[in-house]
Amino acid sequence: MIPTWKIKPHIKGDTFNSRKITFPFDITNCLIEMQFRPYGEGSVFFNWTTENNTFEKISSTEIIMKSRILDQRIGNYVSDLQVTFLDGTVYTYFKANLQILQDVTQ
C-alpha cells in the first residue's frame, strides 16, 4: 500500500512552507513531480517539479519542496509524488491530500 501524506488544511492565499523530502534511493538523474488535481477531476491545477525548480535537488537522495503561496481555488486536492528514472520507469513514492479553505475573516 502506498503511504498518504495528509497535509494540514491551508487557507487560500497562505504560504505553503518548504519541506525536505528524503528518498531511500538515488534521484540524481530523475524527474520528480507532484501534480495537484481537484478531487474527482483529472486536470492538473498546480504542481511542484524538478523541471521548473519548484523541487530543488540538494543531494543524491534529497529534495526541497519550495514554499509557495497557495492561491488556488477552494476545495480538496489529491496528488502523488512520482519519480521518473532515466529508463522511463515511474515510481509513485507517496500520495497526498490537501484541502484549501476560504479565509472566513474576509
Side-chain angles (χ1 to χ4, degrees):
M1 180 175 229
I2 298 172
T4 300
W5 175 21
K6 282 197 77 168
I7 303 167
K8 73 176 182 71
H10 279 70
I11 303 293
K12 178 180 171 76
D14 280 0
T15 300
F16 183 93
N17 294 323
S18 66
R19 306 278 194 287
K20 182 166 76 169
I21 300 170
T22 303
F23 297 90
F25 49 83
D26 190 328
I27 58 166
T28 301
N29 295 310
C30 296
L31 167 67
I32 301 169
E33 60 186 339
M34 201 168 172
Q35 300 177 329
F36 285 82
R37 296 169 176 79
Y39 183 79
E41 297 182 30
S43 299
V44 174
F45 271 53
F46 60 100
N47 69 350
W48 273 265
T49 178
T50 52
E51 283 186 322
N52 67 11
N53 206 32
T54 50
F55 273 145
E56 179 184 355
K57 291 180 187 174
I58 58 171
S59 77
S60 63
T61 58
E62 295 176 315
I63 59 172
I64 295 290
M65 184 178 189
K66 292 184 177 178
S67 64
R68 72 188 307 168
I69 302 294
L70 288 181
D71 202 19
Q72 305 301 322
R73 101 178 174 200
I74 296 161
N76 295 308
Y77 291 83
V78 294
S79 181
D80 48 33
L81 186 138
Q82 291 189 325
V83 179
T84 304
F85 295 89
L86 278 177
D87 67 0
T89 302
V90 177
Y91 174 67
T92 300
Y93 191 58
F94 62 76
K95 296 182 179 194
N97 296 324
L98 169 66
Q99 183 180 30
I100 298 178
L101 305 170
Q102 177 67 46
D103 183 351
V104 294
T105 63
Q106 294 182 357

